[in-house]
Amino acid sequence: MADAGSFDPHSVDLDTADLASIICYVNAGGNDYDGRLGARISAVFVILLTSSLATVFPVAAKRLPRLHIPKAVYIFARYFGAGVIIATAFIHLLDPAYDEIGPASCVGLTGGWAEYTWPPSIALTSIMLIFLLDFGAEYYVERKYGFGHNEDVELNAATGKEDPVARSYRQGSHQFLHSADQDMVNPQVQAVSDNDSPSMSRLDNKHALAEGSIDGKGSDDSAWTERAFRQQIAAFLILEFGVIFHSVIIGLNLGVVGDEFSTLYPVIVFHQLFEGLGIGARLSVIPFPSRLKWMPWALCATYGLTTPISIAIGIGLSTQYNSGSFTANVVSGVLDSVSAGILIYTGLVELLARDFLFNKDRTRNKNEITLMLVCLFLGCGIMALLGKWA
């Protein structure tokens, strides 16, 4: 870091002054806490309630049919949430990372941080590592269970030479392992693997019927659920942890911020609500085995509790924590960059590509597709707009 002790801000010669010292002085933060303890405590409970309900809603809509949630409402939650995740990656994570450790920041002008543009490189590294993990999980499932892309089978399917047995195998194997393909659920199949959890798409239902496994006597249904669960859970956990890193930082800031508190409070409420929809929508399509039927609710609670706990910690450190310090900028800048990479990969590959481009079971209903796209762009646009304030 630039030597702040030798820099006199009241006597600066722009021809000889060290640029890093000037930037670090201008950007240096202090502790801006200005009281309003009651409002800050209320933020703990308001954000806990809103973020938890938003996260639980898509999961409950999919796993509790007795709630009779209209399909259009579920579609809104899922694709609005997808748009939120994509906008969060670019507007709420990557852009702040440039302010914290980018080449024009105090950190980015000092020491080794000045040797390279770190935010995009950290995000790129994160993307490639997530890709490697995603590919590794799929490769593991293919090797362990013998499912995968078979060029000959797919070519026969494309040319109309596929026999019914091969079609049943193809439809019930690899495609089911991705979350984009599990929206249309047969209630009979749903009741087998997890009384509260949908686990198979239309094509998988046909495959299960062909195998005679929906009568509760066979184990094929459990095997399908286990394979798909293992394929998807690692990618989801990385997504949630990426969002949680960000939630911790904004929670700490809300606990100690000064004059900006009045603006940040409502903005962060909506911010966490929309992110919760994205997390919950992604979680709702993962088929959990019956032995882990508690897990989606626990993951919802983890997200819902993160920001309120961070706000409480921020209140406890209200006279000590300095969000503008050199160390705080390094930590938040690196975490924001890592999280940006996670959400960019998840949003573009796991959500957009697999839901819209590579999902063979995607609806052909024009009205439904229009609703999906409108919700997607609405979520992306509103979350991007929130970036103006937080």
Side-chain angles (χ1 to χ4, degrees):
M1 182 177 177
D3 184 6
S6 62
F7 176 70
D8 181 4
H10 303 291
S11 179
V12 179
D13 184 347
L14 295 180
D15 292 325
T16 60
D18 177 45
L19 178 61
S21 296
I22 297 174
I23 296 296
C24 288
Y25 175 80
V26 172
N27 292 343
N31 186 276
D32 299 324
Y33 181 74
D34 61 355
R36 291 187 278 187
L37 182 60
R40 295 176 198 270
I41 293 175
S42 74
V44 173
F45 296 99
V46 170
I47 292 177
L48 172 63
L49 181 64
T50 55
S51 59
S52 297
L53 289 178
T55 311
V56 165
F57 172 73
V59 178
K62 196 72 178 286
R63 297 177 181 278
L64 302 176
R66 60 182 175 273
L67 293 179
H68 302 295
I69 303 295
K71 184 177 181 182
V73 175
Y74 173 75
I75 288 176
F76 170 81
R78 176 169 176 175
Y79 293 101
F80 183 90
V84 165
I85 287 175
I86 295 169
T88 297
F90 289 98
I91 306 300
H92 295 266
L93 292 171
L94 192 57
D95 182 62
Y98 273 95
D99 292 335
E100 293 153 347
I101 60 174
S105 69
C106 173
V107 174
L109 290 169
T110 59
W113 295 99
E115 302 298 323
Y116 197 71
T117 304
W118 289 103
S121 64
I122 295 174
L124 174 62
T125 301
S126 178
I127 289 171
M128 298 311 296
L129 288 176
I130 300 308
F131 159 73
L132 189 62
L133 178 64
D134 192 22
F135 176 73
E138 182 164 321
Y139 184 76
Y140 166 78
V141 171
E142 290 176 357
R143 290 294 298 267
K144 182 174 177 64
Y145 298 106
F147 294 151
H149 295 285
N150 185 308
E151 292 182 1
D152 292 334
V153 171
E154 293 182 355
L155 179 60
N156 288 338
T159 57
K161 299 179 181 179
E162 185 179 33
D163 64 75
V165 175
R167 182 185 305 111
S168 176
Y169 173 82
R170 174 177 60 82
Q171 291 174 340
S173 60
H174 179 83
Q175 192 70 4
F176 170 59
L177 300 178
H178 297 304
S179 63
D181 315 307
Q182 300 163 31
D183 287 338
M184 303 303 292
V185 182
N186 184 309
Q188 290 178 287
V189 179
Q190 176 178 329
V192 176
S193 62
D194 185 343
N195 290 334
D196 294 330
S197 173
S199 59
M200 293 189 180
S201 65
R202 287 176 308 211
L203 296 180
D204 300 306
N205 295 346
K206 295 177 183 178
H207 181 70
L209 287 167
E211 295 293 325
S213 64
I214 67 169
D215 59 0
K217 299 178 182 179
S219 61
D220 286 352
D221 52 298
S222 297
W224 287 117
T225 302
E226 187 71 29
R227 293 160 194 164
F229 170 76
R230 293 186 181 185
Q231 171 74 19
Q232 298 173 42
I233 190 61
F236 172 79
L237 290 176
I238 291 172
L239 166 65
E240 178 158 10
F241 287 134
V243 172
I244 283 176
F245 287 154
H246 179 49
S247 297
V248 168
I249 294 170
I250 64 176
L252 287 172
N253 288 339
L254 188 61
V256 302
V257 74
D259 294 339
E260 297 177 350
F261 176 80
S262 298
T263 301
L264 281 180
Y265 185 176
V267 169
I268 289 179
V269 169
F270 285 104
H271 182 284
Q272 293 305 105
L273 185 152
F274 295 151
E275 276 192 350
L277 278 178
I279 290 290
R282 171 74 174 150
L283 183 60
S284 69
V285 293
I286 298 177
F288 287 86
S290 57
R291 61 187 171 81
L292 295 174
K293 60 183 179 181
W294 55 268
M295 195 172 185
W297 311 109
L299 291 171
C300 289
T302 299
Y303 171 78
L305 288 168
T306 299
T307 300
I309 290 175
S310 299
I311 296 172
I313 293 173
I315 294 173
L317 300 175
S318 57
T319 59
Q320 303 171 24
Y321 179 72
N322 178 5
S323 60
S325 69
F326 188 89
T327 301
N329 276 323
V330 169
V331 173
S332 59
V334 171
L335 290 181
D336 280 348
S337 299
V338 170
S339 299
I342 293 173
L343 267 62
I344 288 172
Y345 179 86
T346 301
L348 299 182
V349 176
E350 296 286 339
L351 301 181
L352 289 194
R354 283 183 178 164
D355 274 17
F356 289 96
L357 301 180
F358 305 127
N359 182 10
K360 296 177 182 178
D361 289 337
R362 187 188 65 240
T363 180
R364 301 298 189 269
N365 185 302
K366 292 181 180 180
N367 292 334
E368 202 165 291
I369 290 177
T370 300
L371 177 60
M372 290 160 59
L373 290 172
V374 168
C375 293
L376 175 71
F377 282 93
L378 184 64
C380 192
I382 291 180
M383 200 63 175
L385 180 62
L386 288 180
K388 176 177 173 61
W389 299 281

